[in-house]
Amino acid sequence: MDISLEIFNVVFFVVLLTWVLLDIMRRRRDGRSLIHRAGRGCEVFALVTIFSNALISIFYLGFGVYEYWGGGRNVSCKSIFSGMTWILATVVTFYAKNRTHSEQNRWPWVLIIWWIFACSFYLLYVCLYLITHFISIDLPHILLKANIVDFASFPLSILLCFNAFSYDAQKKNDLKQPLLEKEDEAPPENTDTYANAGIWSKATFQWLNPLFRRGRIQKLELPHIPYVPPSERAKNASSVLDESLRKQKMEDSSLSKAIMQAIGKSLAINAAFAGVNTASSYVGPFLITNFVNYLLEKHDNSSIHHGLILAFTFFIAKTLESLSQRQWYFGAQVIGVRVRAALTLLIYQKSISIKYSCPSNGKIVNLINVDVERIGDFCWYIHGVWLLPVQVFLALAILYRNLGAAPSAAALLSTILIMVCNTPLAKMQKRLHSKIMEEKDSRIKVTSEILKNIRVLKLHSWEPTFLKKLLQHRETERNLLKRYLYTSSAVVFLFWASPTLVSVTTFGVCIILNTPLTIGTVLSALATFRILGEPIYNFPELISMITQTKVSIDRIQEFVQEDQMKLIPCHDSKVSNVTVVLEPGEYAWKTSEQDLKTPTIKITEKIKIMKGSKVAVCGSVGSGKSSLLLSILGEIPKISGAGAKVYGTKAYVSQSAWIQTGTIRENVLFGKEMNRGCYEDVLEICALDHDVNTWADGDLTVVGERGMTLSGGEKQRVQLARAVYSDSDVYIFDDPFSAVDAHTGTHLFKKCLLQHLSMKTVIYATHQLEFLEAADLVLVIKDGKIAESGKYEDLIADPNGELVRQMSVHKKSFDQVNTCQQDNRRPHQVNLIKVSEEKEAINNGNLSEKSHEEEAETGRVKWRVYSTFVTSAYRGALVPVILVCQVLFQGLQMGSNYWIAWGTEKEDRVSKERLMWVFALLSAGSSIFILGRAVFLATIALQTAQRLFLGMITSVFRAPISFFDSTPSSRILSRCSTDQSTVDTDIPYRLAGLVFALVQLISIIILMSQVAWQVFILCLGVFALSMWYQAYYITTARELARMVGIRKAPILHHFSESIAGAGTVRCFNQEDRFMMKTMDLIDDYSRIVFHNYGTMEWLSVRTNFLFNLVYFIVLIILVSLPRSAIDPSMAGLAATYGLNLNVLQAWVIWNTCNVENKMISVERILQFTKTPIEAPLVIEDSRPVLEWPMAGKIEIENLRVQYNPALPTVLKGITCTFPGGKKIGVVGRTGSGKSIQALFRIVDPLGGQILIDGVDISKIGLQDLRSRLSIIPQDPTLFQGTMRTNLDPLQQHSDQELWEVLNQCRLAEIIRQDQRLLDTPVAEDGENWSVGQRQLVCLARVLLKKRKIIVLDEATASIDTATDTLIQQTIRKETSGCTVITVAHRIPTVIDNDLVLVLDEGRVSEYDSPARLLEDSSSAFSKLVEEFLRRSSMNKGL
């Protein structure tokens, strides 16, 4: 048979040589090049193939040399011919790699046949050898006889066969790929590579190769990432979970049971891989006794066959362990992806269906970022529940086999003891973790509220106070985190000390009972103890994970099971023309105290609203106008009565505008198809056409988060256009005219409400009483009840009616303006000019600024990120201390193991007592160092996390407003929650774990090298190949890890936006569209996470195989070395520690990559520490005197303001002076109000200066400036807390002062209705107060501060005329001697001011007293007054 094999070798040698010569001649004849640069993907397989061929060649040559020198200068023909053929095969492989493959798509056929032939023969060799040695069958002499080279070459030949076809596939893909690809174009094969992959491809993660190839040649973008399998997509995952929940509800609703039912089948398959992995991991400790005994008993001339069988069995077991572990881990992560997708969608479904008690943004962020993530992660831990007893049982079985019953029982008892000791620590961890989560919820909630209202905080110079409040929450969280991490240190100590304790106990019992200890049984026991340490360590972590997951599931279940709101269905009106029916009933908002639950709105009689009717709702501030409209929409809980019925579709315009992040067009269309003619009509009707024409990108201009880059009037007009374009049956408008100027208000009322919607039913609340006459029905609201209802003419005829009382105040305002005009107007023809001709070019500078995708770093995480992280705590002083602790621990542990192995190698080498005492002391010493390491690491982790958090949050608070305009709050919240959590508890331990594993790996390699120096060279080669694999992997994995963070933020942003506008979404019946968008966002996130997990396993499979090969070769070396050349104790110890070689190596490589991926969280946090900051809060050398400003004189000199260098100038050289103590009104079109905030240096001027009492405001600190001024911004802002904390956030005033300003603002009576008085609660965003009441609170703040300069930016826009008149009187009385700058759309608000400034296109159009401006009928101010009078004169009752 050997002769036959030699003939085959010669034949293949000749065929290979002939093929090469013929191919060279053919190419020379055709004039084709031999050089080709293969694709990166091909390079991997080609290099591995060349390396494998060369290694087999070296094996045969080396064995031939060994035969020559050790076998009497005789070399077998097999070694010569096999070696020559493999050398030629290596040359042909190298040649084939570099030749042009325009015709050939694979390796040459001669090579493939040779590899298959060689692999088949090696397999036959191995099988025959195993048969003869295990079954004791004598086979004919003619059959093959294996040698050590055949065993070593077998796994390499398998690799060659695998690479032959892999390279083929890679080359085909290379041919399909164009030379120049568009970056954003996904390859056609990237539709779903995993679902289309075969078994071998899935086992080796070969299906990821196209992604790696693309990642090497260009930066990965979302379109490049293949889709997840259909089963993991949000729609499918959600439907399966919903089905499970429906089945559960028939019995007892349990979210955990529903999840288990939904993933049961996948979990069972995953459990099979986990079981195979566990069983194969115990083969090593089981066989180590046999291997050590073989080394002890063999002689220099004895056969090595038995040793080779053991080595081969070790190799097969380790390979099976590696492959099953990779499938187990990846399968668990995939199940986690599915669970996360389903739960995220479930939370979203609930979020947009709740309105009665709207969930806080902070809670939603934590539910998704923390709770859903943890439940997904638990899929990885879940098998620990049943694997733990299996692992303990297998360990005890091995101990029983080696040591007997009593030592095994001692090991079991000590194991149970350690687990019992861990239990209270696990409970403490659970309790602390729950508290940390609660505190994190609070911190995120506060952060979200601050970010939402950052403009107000900066205007009032309250950032330091709110930062302090936020840091107090963080400090509480940090104290809990400190206790949690130190508890974790105790758990880590127990983990590393447990093998020591168990081994000391077990060996102690053996010595007491005189159980014989041999080196084989001792090393087997030590290997078992080391594996047993994993379930012992995992037990508290498993308990902790179970409890944490239980907490998370309970939190989600509690959220999901909150009372669903019963939406009012749309009824089809078939009988009559009735569109809305208001039945008698009571409605009230939910409160935590049931006794305080008084009706918000009460309807006492049935009201029918006919089709095409116009219904006006009026009343004073807080009377219940908005509540009435919301009760019609079904957004307020009904206490009693039948409720409202709406027939047909609805459209809603809220008082506080809700605008989506996106283009103007997307906001207007709101999911409907584009009808160009209708669309343009709507823009013209809603006075948006002129604005759209002035924006650089027209209606494709992107608006910022919550419409932040639009003015108040523009926001209202956009959402009005959204309602009009919807072409609904019933329109409900909640005072949309307050935020626009007189011209625009009249235009909207006439063109939109009276003309375009003439055939539609419109219910509108308004404070502009001049709009009442056009209504078919007027509802007058007072104290939550409909005080009067009827036609306008009938109500105005009742001299004692509520409407007449309100109209009388309005009449005084009208008379005031009219008189002022009559006195100053020269006789002339009044020229009424249409609003459409008056529209002016207001270019809101922020608007054209594109909302951009989150910027991510590219390439490797920079070393400065690592150095910043490592040196953040105590300048890195504790890092060397931790390293020394780890090295000493490793040294003492290996020393103790060597000591007991050496002591038991020969009987009576050392006394049993001394053997035990020295072993116990060395083990105790190693445990002490591990405790020190754990404590120091926890200390570093705490300090580092806190320093990074402070650096980030301080920079964010000091960032200019432009940063918040262009950065969605979800992006900042993502860093404050997910990234900060990673830094708090993850990165320090991953980084340290990498270093510790590296120390262990180096120690094992040094130990192996002591036994056989060749191992060191082999390990260097394998390390080089592993690092090459890692470098190939990391370019793709790094970008995927970056995208994970980036793709999470849009989900959170969409959640926040949807919750804020849930009422609007429901009213327009857009829930399904928003659900689809959520699914798309979740799927985008899932595909990144899915492939991120897959790439890690791709690397682990390959590096595991390499180090399994190293271990296999080490065992073969130990088997083949003569007995006299090895120390059995050292060799046995090397073999025992080598069992962990692949695990440690995989941990090092995987952790190296994972640390870089996780360090992206640090990189993202550090990005925000480098945000541009505003001018200093305080400039010590240039502080104004305490009494500044004393006169309040403001001088503006050639002021030019630009929001962004790329945008046009907003203020174009304004020069004017506001005398001290005067009242100045600022009027103009919508958008002018923002400009006045230049006074607060929200935007630093491009040129010119502003002097206040002679002090240049650009030369003093921002806090000194802003704290001396007062402003009421256009959007009233309240913070969650109490009325006291909202009025006086800095706690500088007494209760008496607070009540004084409340009385002045007509709020005292409302607050006294609540028994908690000044401690009356204020909900998030002030939701439990009307918009008008919120503006009154903001006014009270200003009056409380008693500043010399006050800016009122549409301060009374949402207040009825009567209250506005009273407030204006209060302002005049309380601010006498102050400079008051009023930006207003209401003419009565500014008509009695000392001066009026009219802005036009960023320039001063007019600036004089109202009387002088009214003298000129052609002045812009005259036209505004004329429009107000014309609009007001529509009331015949005046």
Side-chain angles (χ1 to χ4, degrees):
M1 191 76 177
D2 280 350
I3 300 297
S4 304
L5 181 61
E6 287 155 19
I7 292 170
F8 277 120
N9 278 326
V10 171
V11 168
F12 272 107
F13 182 87
V14 172
V15 171
L16 285 168
L17 188 62
T18 305
W19 182 88
V20 171
L21 294 173
L22 288 173
D23 194 75
I24 291 172
M25 289 171 62
R26 187 173 71 251
R27 292 189 175 282
R28 282 186 178 174
R29 185 186 65 229
D30 297 341
R32 279 180 285 176
S33 170
L34 293 176
I35 301 301
H36 169 74
R37 188 68 182 167
R40 291 286 186 181
C42 294
E43 290 281 351
V44 181
F45 295 99
L47 291 173
V48 170
T49 305
I50 293 169
F51 176 76
S52 301
N53 279 281
L55 200 58
I56 295 174
S57 307
I58 292 167
F59 284 165
Y60 275 108
L61 289 176
F63 190 72
V65 173
Y66 170 76
E67 284 181 319
Y68 182 78
W69 291 109
R73 298 183 181 274
N74 288 323
V75 182
S76 66
C77 294
K78 177 183 174 184
S79 297
I80 294 171
F81 286 113
S82 295
M84 288 175 63
T85 310
W86 277 110
I87 290 170
L88 184 57
T90 305
V91 172
V92 173
T93 306
F94 186 77
Y95 168 80
K97 172 186 173 289
N98 288 317
R99 74 194 181 93
T100 304
H101 54 69
S102 57
E103 299 154 8
Q104 295 277 72
N105 289 336
R106 56 168 64 94
W107 292 111
W109 57 268
V110 287
L111 269 179
I112 294 173
I113 294 172
W114 165 244
W115 290 334
I116 294 171
F117 167 80
C119 184
S120 304
F121 264 89
Y122 291 142
L123 177 63
L124 189 58
Y125 277 135
V126 172
C127 291
L128 289 175
Y129 183 84
L130 294 176
I131 289 169
T132 54
H133 285 79
F134 276 103
I135 308 177
S136 302
I137 296 176
D138 291 328
L139 294 173
H141 179 70
I142 190 171
L143 291 180
L144 301 166
K145 291 182 181 176
N147 57 34
I148 188 171
V149 177
D150 300 326
F151 273 89
S153 301
F154 177 50
L156 291 172
S157 65
I158 294 174
L159 186 63
L160 285 171
C161 290
F162 159 64
N163 279 356
F165 300 105
S166 301
Y167 189 68
D168 173 20
Q170 288 291 322
K171 282 195 172 184
K172 283 180 181 176
N173 289 339
D174 277 351
L175 284 173
K176 291 177 185 177
Q177 184 175 338
L179 293 174
L180 294 172
E181 289 189 87
K182 294 180 182 176
E183 277 197 25
D184 57 347
E185 200 174 276
E189 70 267 19
N190 272 17
T191 51
D192 185 357
T193 51
Y194 179 78
N196 298 328
I199 294 174
W200 178 249
S201 180
K202 286 182 179 177
T204 58
F205 295 89
Q206 188 184 338
W207 52 274
L208 282 166
N209 289 344
L211 185 63
F212 279 109
R213 188 174 68 253
R214 182 179 283 280
R216 291 285 284 182
I217 60 175
Q218 67 184 107
K219 182 186 173 184
L220 287 178
E221 304 286 349
L222 182 66
H224 302 149
I225 313 300
Y227 295 111
V228 289
S231 60
E232 319 312 324
R233 290 175 195 167
K235 186 176 181 179
N236 293 345
S238 176
S239 62
V240 173
L241 182 61
D242 286 344
E243 182 63 31
S244 300
L245 280 170
R246 274 195 293 274
K247 290 177 183 175
Q248 289 293 326
K249 280 177 184 174
M250 294 174 189
E251 307 156 12
D252 177 33
S253 181
S254 168
L255 183 60
S256 54
K257 287 180 184 176
I259 293 171
M260 289 300 293
Q261 191 175 337
I263 61 173
K265 185 179 176 183
S266 301
L267 214 54
I269 296 169
N270 198 237
F273 284 116
V276 171
N277 173 260
T278 302
S280 55
S281 68
Y282 277 88
V283 171
F286 181 78
L287 290 180
I288 202 73
T289 307
N290 303 48
F291 188 77
V292 173
N293 289 340
Y294 167 79
L295 292 180
L296 282 168
E297 294 166 6
K298 79 166 186 170
H299 305 289
D300 288 350
N301 56 355
S302 62
S303 171
I304 64 170
H305 289 165
H306 182 60
L308 288 174
I309 291 171
L310 285 171
F312 192 73
T313 308
F314 273 116
F315 176 71
I316 293 296
K318 295 302 288 180
T319 303
L320 190 61
E321 179 190 349
S322 298
L323 287 174
S324 59
Q325 188 180 58
R326 301 281 63 87
Q327 294 303 316
W328 168 21
Y329 285 5
F330 181 66
Q333 303 285 21
V334 169
I335 293 170
V337 168
R338 189 186 313 166
V339 171
R340 286 187 196 98
L343 287 177
T344 305
L345 206 56
L346 184 69
I347 292 169
Y348 184 79
Q349 282 175 320
K350 182 65 184 178
S351 298
I352 61 169
S353 69
I354 297 176
K355 184 59 184 177
Y356 295 166
S357 52
C358 193
S360 74
N361 201 30
K363 183 175 182 180
I364 293 292
V365 167
N366 262 1
L367 281 176
I368 297 167
N369 265 350
V370 181
D371 295 305
V372 170
E373 286 294 324
R374 184 173 296 113
I375 295 168
D377 291 341
F378 182 69
C379 297
W380 192 82
Y381 288 87
I382 197 167
H383 297 302
V385 176
W386 63 271
L387 280 179
L388 181 67
V390 171
Q391 287 173 308
V392 172
F393 171 78
L394 290 174
L396 291 174
I398 294 171
L399 289 174
Y400 178 77
R401 170 181 175 261
N402 289 326
L403 301 174
S408 302
L412 177 62
L413 288 173
S414 54
T415 301
I416 292 171
L417 177 67
I418 292 168
M419 287 183 175
V420 169
C421 290
N422 266 340
T423 306
L425 291 172
K427 285 182 179 177
M428 191 184 295
Q429 275 187 313
K430 178 205 169 184
R431 191 170 63 253
L432 288 170
H433 192 270
S434 295
K435 289 181 180 177
I436 289 171
M437 288 310 303
E438 288 171 13
E439 199 53 47
K440 196 187 291 289
D441 270 356
S442 301
R443 176 171 62 83
I444 297 298
K445 193 173 182 179
V446 170
T447 309
S448 176
E449 190 174 43
I450 288 170
L451 293 174
K452 206 179 291 181
N453 303 307
I454 191 69
R455 185 180 293 273
V456 173
L457 298 185
K458 287 189 174 293
L459 288 169
H460 288 287
S461 191
W462 286 344
E463 314 107 291
T465 304
F466 278 79
L467 177 59
K468 187 178 177 183
K469 178 183 175 183
L470 182 60
L471 292 179
Q472 285 171 352
H473 281 282
R474 174 63 185 175
E475 189 58 33
T476 308
E477 183 187 355
R478 183 172 175 265
N479 289 332
L480 291 168
L481 192 64
K482 185 177 183 180
R483 291 165 60 193
Y484 179 81
L485 291 181
Y486 283 130
T487 307
S488 299
S489 299
V491 173
V492 169
F493 166 70
L494 276 177
F495 163 62
W496 288 101
S498 59
T500 300
L501 181 62
V502 175
S503 58
V504 168
T505 307
T506 308
F507 293 148
V509 170
C510 288
I511 287 170
I512 292 169
L513 298 176
N514 289 319
T515 303
L517 289 175
T518 65
I519 182 173
T521 57
V522 164
L523 289 175
S524 177
L526 287 173
T528 306
F529 296 147
R530 196 171 292 112
I531 292 187
L532 194 59
E534 186 182 347
I536 293 173
Y537 173 68
N538 284 345
F539 179 70
E541 191 179 358
L542 180 65
I543 297 296
S544 172
M545 203 59 198
I546 288 172
T547 52
Q548 288 176 27
T549 306
K550 181 72 169 63
V551 169
S552 292
I553 287 177
D554 289 346
R555 277 161 57 90
I556 292 175
Q557 184 159 348
E558 180 189 357
F559 175 72
V560 170
Q561 287 183 342
E562 286 178 10
D563 295 337
Q564 280 292 109
M565 70 172 293
K566 293 178 181 176
L567 292 173
I568 293 180
C570 291
H571 300 84
D572 292 328
S573 181
K574 296 178 181 177
V575 182
S576 66
N577 286 329
V578 176
T579 52
V580 179
V581 178
L582 299 180
E583 299 282 358
E586 294 182 348
Y587 301 83
W589 293 109
K590 283 188 176 180
T591 58
S592 54
E593 297 82 3
Q594 291 301 315
D595 57 318
L596 296 172
K597 194 171 182 179
T598 54
T600 306
I601 194 76
K602 186 174 183 179
I603 300 172
T604 53
E605 58 183 38
K606 186 173 182 178
I607 298 174
K608 288 185 179 181
I609 299 172
M610 308 304 288
K611 184 178 181 181
S613 296
K614 305 295 177 283
V615 180
V617 181
C618 65
S620 59
V621 172
S623 59
K625 298 184 297 299
S626 297
S627 298
L628 176 66
L629 300 184
L630 291 173
S631 69
I632 296 171
L633 291 171
E635 297 288 328
I636 301 184
K638 182 180 61 179
I639 300 175
S640 64
K645 293 178 183 175
V646 179
Y647 296 93
T649 55
K650 309 182 293 290
Y652 174 55
V653 176
S654 57
Q655 189 172 13
S656 298
W658 178 72
I659 304 294
Q660 275 187 285
T661 305
T663 64
I664 298 290
R665 181 184 294 178
E666 288 167 352
N667 272 283
V668 174
L669 296 181
F670 205 55
K672 290 183 74 72
E673 292 293 325
M674 164 65 90
N675 180 327
R676 176 58 67 179
C678 176
Y679 175 75
E680 289 177 355
D681 287 345
V682 167
L683 291 185
E684 191 273 327
I685 289 163
C686 297
L688 274 172
D689 52 336
H690 189 76
D691 300 77
V692 167
N693 292 333
T694 59
W695 296 328
D697 296 319
D699 64 347
L700 295 178
T701 300
V702 177
V703 297
E705 187 178 14
R706 302 188 305 278
M708 193 181 286
T709 51
L710 295 171
S711 71
E714 285 164 340
K715 281 191 274 190
Q716 279 292 5
R717 282 182 281 134
V718 167
Q719 68 165 0
L720 189 64
R722 175 172 64 210
V724 173
Y725 188 80
S726 69
D727 192 27
S728 302
D729 299 317
V730 179
Y731 290 83
I732 298 174
F733 295 161
D734 193 354
D735 197 16
F737 311 115
S738 292
V740 296
D741 57 67
H743 284 285
T744 312
T746 304
H747 174 87
L748 294 176
F749 187 76
K750 278 180 157 185
K751 289 270 188 176
C752 176
L753 201 140
L754 297 181
Q755 294 177 17
H756 188 76
L757 301 178
S758 59
M759 304 302 292
K760 305 285 186 177
T761 303
V762 183
I763 305 171
Y764 60 98
T766 183
H767 285 133
Q768 277 91 335
L769 301 182
E770 57 268 25
F771 291 150
L772 297 182
E773 188 186 3
D776 300 307
L777 175 67
V778 177
L779 302 178
V780 184
I781 311 295
K782 183 179 181 183
D783 298 331
K785 297 176 184 176
I786 300 177
E788 293 179 331
S789 65
K791 287 190 172 294
Y792 174 78
E793 293 83 0
D794 299 337
L795 297 179
I796 207 69
D798 181 4
N800 300 317
E802 178 64 23
L803 181 62
V804 171
R805 189 189 66 78
Q806 293 187 21
M807 291 301 292
S808 62
V809 180
H810 180 67
K811 187 175 187 303
K812 289 177 187 175
S813 297
F814 175 80
D815 290 344
Q816 180 187 6
V817 177
N818 201 23
T819 304
C820 187
Q821 188 196 36
Q822 297 287 341
D823 293 343
N824 295 284
R825 175 67 55 90
R826 295 171 190 159
H828 67 281
Q829 178 72 30
V830 175
N831 183 20
L832 295 179
I833 302 169
K834 294 288 183 185
V835 176
S836 56
E837 297 167 9
E838 278 292 319
K839 290 302 294 175
E840 55 182 294
I842 302 297
N843 190 354
N844 185 354
N846 280 338
L847 189 59
S848 58
E849 184 178 339
K850 289 271 188 181
S851 177
H852 53 275
E853 287 238 348
E854 182 170 354
E855 290 178 10
E857 300 282 343
T858 55
R860 293 186 65 89
V861 174
K862 306 297 185 293
W863 281 111
R864 59 178 171 72
V865 176
Y866 288 94
S867 63
T868 303
F869 183 79
V870 171
T871 57
S872 286
Y874 311 107
R875 296 188 177 178
L878 288 181
V879 174
V881 178
I882 291 175
L883 280 175
V884 169
C885 284
Q886 174 63 21
V887 170
L888 289 173
F889 156 73
Q890 191 65 33
L892 287 171
Q893 190 190 53
M894 294 182 85
S896 66
N897 290 349
Y898 178 73
W899 165 259
I900 199 163
W902 176 81
T904 53
E905 183 184 341
K906 293 180 182 175
E907 233 174 301
D908 302 326
R909 177 175 273 184
V910 64
S911 69
K912 290 183 177 180
E913 291 77 12
R914 189 182 174 203
L915 179 75
M916 206 62 232
W917 276 112
V918 173
F919 178 71
L921 285 171
L922 288 170
S923 300
S926 68
S927 299
I928 288 168
F929 283 114
I930 213 69
L931 178 63
R933 186 194 82 179
V935 171
F936 285 133
L937 185 57
T939 306
I940 283 181
L942 278 167
Q943 184 69 10
T944 302
Q946 189 66 3
R947 284 180 68 89
L948 287 174
F949 177 78
L950 288 174
M952 172 182 66
I953 208 68
T954 307
S955 292
V956 167
F957 266 70
R958 292 287 295 114
I961 282 293
S962 58
F963 169 77
F964 298 97
D965 285 347
S966 60
T967 307
S969 59
S970 58
R971 205 173 287 175
I972 302 171
L973 287 175
S974 178
R975 282 164 170 80
C976 290
S977 55
T978 311
D979 292 324
Q980 189 60 44
S981 293
T982 305
V983 171
D984 283 343
T985 56
D986 199 354
I987 296 179
Y989 292 92
R990 286 197 186 277
L991 195 57
L994 168 63
V995 176
F996 301 156
L998 199 57
V999 170
Q1000 285 181 286
L1001 188 62
I1002 292 169
S1003 304
I1004 292 173
I1005 291 170
I1006 291 171
L1007 177 64
M1008 288 179 166
S1009 301
Q1010 291 294 313
V1011 178
W1013 61 266
Q1014 300 92 334
V1015 175
F1016 185 73
I1017 298 170
L1018 183 64
C1019 284
L1020 285 179
V1022 171
F1023 256 124
L1025 195 55
S1026 295
M1027 296 307 288
W1028 182 86
Y1029 264 125
Q1030 185 202 341
Y1032 182 78
Y1033 153 88
I1034 198 65
T1035 51
T1036 299
R1038 186 192 301 122
E1039 298 309 323
L1040 285 173
R1042 284 196 174 107
M1043 279 195 273
V1044 167
I1046 291 170
R1047 287 291 153 192
K1048 190 66 175 283
I1051 298 176
L1052 299 177
H1053 177 66
H1054 184 61
F1055 265 69
S1056 303
E1057 204 165 60
S1058 301
I1059 292 165
T1064 304
V1065 172
R1066 284 192 292 270
C1067 179
F1068 283 87
N1069 296 318
Q1070 292 290 311
E1071 296 98 322
D1072 290 342
R1073 184 172 69 88
F1074 274 67
M1075 282 291 294
M1076 288 299 295
K1077 184 176 179 182
T1078 308
M1079 287 180 195
D1080 291 341
L1081 290 171
I1082 292 171
D1083 285 343
D1084 285 346
Y1085 177 67
S1086 293
R1087 67 205 269 205
I1088 303 294
V1089 172
F1090 179 86
H1091 288 87
N1092 192 37
Y1093 291 141
T1095 53
M1096 292 180 186
E1097 302 306 334
W1098 180 93
L1099 179 68
S1100 298
V1101 161
R1102 283 147 182 78
T1103 51
N1104 276 355
F1105 179 79
L1106 288 173
F1107 275 81
N1108 286 338
L1109 200 60
V1110 169
Y1111 185 57
F1112 178 51
I1113 294 169
V1114 168
L1115 293 181
I1116 289 176
I1117 291 172
L1118 292 177
V1119 166
S1120 59
L1121 285 173
R1123 170 69 176 82
S1124 56
I1126 58 172
D1127 174 3
S1129 303
M1130 189 68 79
L1133 197 64
T1136 306
Y1137 271 94
L1139 287 171
N1140 284 344
L1141 191 64
N1142 70 319
V1143 177
L1144 273 175
Q1145 167 275 329
W1147 182 246
V1148 168
I1149 297 293
W1150 183 82
N1151 230 9
T1152 302
C1153 303
N1154 205 33
V1155 161
E1156 179 160 11
N1157 292 347
K1158 292 289 182 182
M1159 284 299 286
I1160 289 167
S1161 289
V1162 179
E1163 182 183 68
R1164 281 158 56 82
I1165 287 173
L1166 290 176
Q1167 269 183 349
F1168 273 16
T1169 61
K1170 295 170 186 171
T1171 52
I1173 61 171
E1174 289 184 305
L1177 292 176
V1178 175
I1179 300 174
E1180 292 295 342
D1181 297 337
S1182 183
R1183 299 202 68 172
V1185 295
L1186 286 174
E1187 296 80 17
W1188 181 86
M1190 290 167 279
K1193 181 183 179 184
I1194 302 171
E1195 299 169 77
I1196 302 173
E1197 299 176 3
N1198 194 28
L1199 185 68
R1200 290 184 296 123
V1201 172
Q1202 188 178 29
Y1203 289 112
N1204 188 298
L1207 298 173
T1209 307
V1210 181
L1211 295 183
K1212 304 168 183 176
I1214 287 181
T1215 300
C1216 59
T1217 301
F1218 298 164
K1222 298 292 184 182
K1223 309 292 185 286
I1224 297 98
V1226 180
V1227 294
R1229 293 296 181 268
T1230 301
S1232 302
K1234 284 189 175 180
S1235 326
I1236 204 67
Q1237 292 179 8
L1239 192 63
F1240 292 78
R1241 290 180 62 192
I1242 291 297
V1243 179
D1244 274 325
L1246 191 65
Q1249 60 180 354
I1250 300 175
L1251 304 176
I1252 298 179
D1253 285 357
V1255 176
D1256 187 346
I1257 64 170
S1258 64
K1259 299 290 193 293
I1260 62 174
L1262 292 179
Q1263 190 168 350
D1264 284 335
L1265 170 66
R1266 292 169 182 170
S1267 62
R1268 311 293 178 89
L1269 309 177
S1270 283
I1271 183 170
I1272 305 176
Q1274 190 170 6
D1275 297 320
T1277 302
L1278 297 189
F1279 302 94
Q1280 188 168 17
T1282 65
M1283 185 54 66
R1284 187 195 309 276
T1285 57
N1286 269 278
L1287 288 171
D1288 185 22
L1290 307 185
Q1291 299 176 357
Q1292 296 174 334
H1293 302 277
S1294 65
D1295 284 7
Q1296 184 182 349
E1297 291 175 291
L1298 298 182
W1299 282 114
E1300 281 178 13
V1301 295
L1302 288 173
N1303 279 313
Q1304 291 164 6
C1305 295
R1306 306 298 187 270
L1307 273 172
E1309 284 305 315
I1310 299 170
I1311 291 171
R1312 285 197 179 98
Q1313 290 173 8
D1314 193 310
Q1315 61 191 23
R1316 289 163 292 192
L1317 300 176
L1318 289 174
D1319 292 322
T1320 299
V1322 176
E1324 188 176 5
D1325 295 331
E1327 286 290 342
N1328 57 337
W1329 297 82
S1330 75
V1331 177
Q1333 289 167 334
R1334 284 180 237 167
Q1335 280 196 325
L1336 292 176
V1337 174
C1338 294
L1339 179 63
R1341 283 180 191 151
V1342 168
L1343 297 179
L1344 193 64
K1345 288 172 75 174
K1346 295 184 171 66
R1347 295 291 180 251
K1348 197 71 179 174
I1349 297 175
I1350 300 172
V1351 177
L1352 307 177
D1353 186 359
E1354 284 297 322
T1356 55
S1358 297
I1359 298 174
D1360 60 277
T1361 310
T1363 310
D1364 185 21
T1365 305
L1366 292 169
I1367 293 305
Q1368 293 303 327
Q1369 290 173 1
T1370 303
I1371 291 172
R1372 279 190 284 274
K1373 178 183 172 186
E1374 300 299 328
T1375 62
S1376 58
C1378 298
T1379 304
V1380 181
I1381 303 168
T1382 307
V1383 180
H1385 291 145
R1386 286 183 178 175
I1387 296 302
T1389 307
V1390 296
I1391 197 70
D1392 63 342
N1393 281 190
D1394 300 307
L1395 295 164
V1396 171
L1397 172 67
V1398 181
L1399 293 176
D1400 182 12
E1401 295 189 0
R1403 294 185 175 87
V1404 176
S1405 173
E1406 298 166 358
Y1407 182 44
D1408 211 330
S1409 67
R1412 284 183 177 277
L1413 292 175
L1414 287 172
E1415 287 175 3
D1416 181 4
S1417 62
S1418 63
S1419 70
F1421 185 65
S1422 290
K1423 291 173 185 175
L1424 285 168
V1425 172
E1426 193 68 52
E1427 182 62 39
F1428 171 77
L1429 293 172
R1430 185 166 63 89
R1431 192 172 72 179
S1432 300
S1433 66
M1434 289 161 58
N1435 285 299
K1436 295 187 176 71
L1438 287 178

